[in-house]
Amino acid sequence: MAVHSAGIMLYRWSTTGQPEVWIAHMGGPFWARKDARGWSIPKGEFPEDEDPLTAALREFAEEMGAPAPDADYRELGTFRQPSGKIITAFAAEADFQPDQILSNTFPLEWPKGSGVIQDFPEIDHAAWFPETDARVKLVKGQLPILDALLRVLGESGGRKGRPVDPPAL
């Protein structure tokens, strides 16, 4: 049975009228030196009987150390990852600016084979990026989430990527 995760892709409009997205760099030694393809939307696993948006909001807060913004969230769809995991993604327009990122942690034997268990943050950094940069930073399996967001924004009747009136997601 596939593992299910739920996550949030926040977006805002730059001063040039282009969308920017909030993404997070994954923590731990595997991702420490990876920038390209080392970023993700804030997300996490949830049980089958939980509402995906409820899970996405909880996981966002756990990974950012701050609650998800009070906004109108819209489901972008479900996206199967190369690992087989299925992500249900939501989007909302918000100018999220936390004072700091304080992620939950996970235990890992490091260095591998040492018998030493260390705790690492799930997320070690998060920031706003224009779509072109996000396209390079996001893990490949999450590019369809970015594409879905851009389709929604484009369908809202904008020019140069910026809607005349920002869409109500």
Side-chain angles (χ1 to χ4, degrees):
M1 184 157 188
V3 173
H4 291 265
S5 284
I8 294 173
M9 180 173 273
L10 295 178
Y11 71 93
R12 69 180 184 185
W13 299 101
S14 73
T15 56
T16 63
Q18 298 301 308
E20 296 178 328
V21 294
W22 177 261
I23 57 176
H25 186 264
M26 293 181 275
F30 179 79
W31 301 103
R33 291 185 171 83
K34 293 180 181 9
D35 187 54
R37 306 288 178 239
W39 294 68
S40 172
I41 66 170
K43 63 169 180 40
E45 295 178 13
F46 68 98
E48 190 175 310
D49 62 345
E50 185 177 15
D51 172 65
L53 180 56
T54 300
L57 294 169
R58 179 192 68 246
E59 292 296 331
F60 186 98
E62 287 179 5
E63 292 192 347
M64 295 297 108
D70 183 19
D72 293 323
Y73 290 89
R74 176 178 178 168
E75 186 173 331
L76 293 174
T78 56
F79 305 86
R80 183 172 294 278
Q81 301 302 284
S83 66
K85 181 184 284 187
I86 298 171
I87 298 175
T88 303
F90 297 88
E93 181 176 6
D95 190 20
F96 184 68
Q97 298 289 339
D99 293 331
Q100 65 177 347
I101 303 299
L102 186 59
S103 179
N104 54 343
T105 61
F106 65 94
L108 179 69
E109 180 185 20
W110 191 256
K112 190 173 182 174
S114 68
V116 176
I117 304 297
Q118 297 183 50
D119 285 328
F120 294 95
E122 285 194 31
I123 298 300
D124 59 23
H125 182 67
W128 288 103
F129 291 100
E131 177 265 333
T132 52
D133 293 348
R135 190 164 295 285
V136 173
K137 291 181 179 296
L138 279 169
V139 292
K140 271 191 171 182
Q142 292 182 22
L143 291 176
I145 299 170
L146 179 59
D147 292 337
L149 173 65
L150 296 174
R151 271 193 307 279
V152 166
L153 297 178
E155 290 168 2
S156 65
R159 58 181 187 270
K160 291 187 184 176
R162 168 83 185 197
V164 176
D165 295 311
L169 290 184

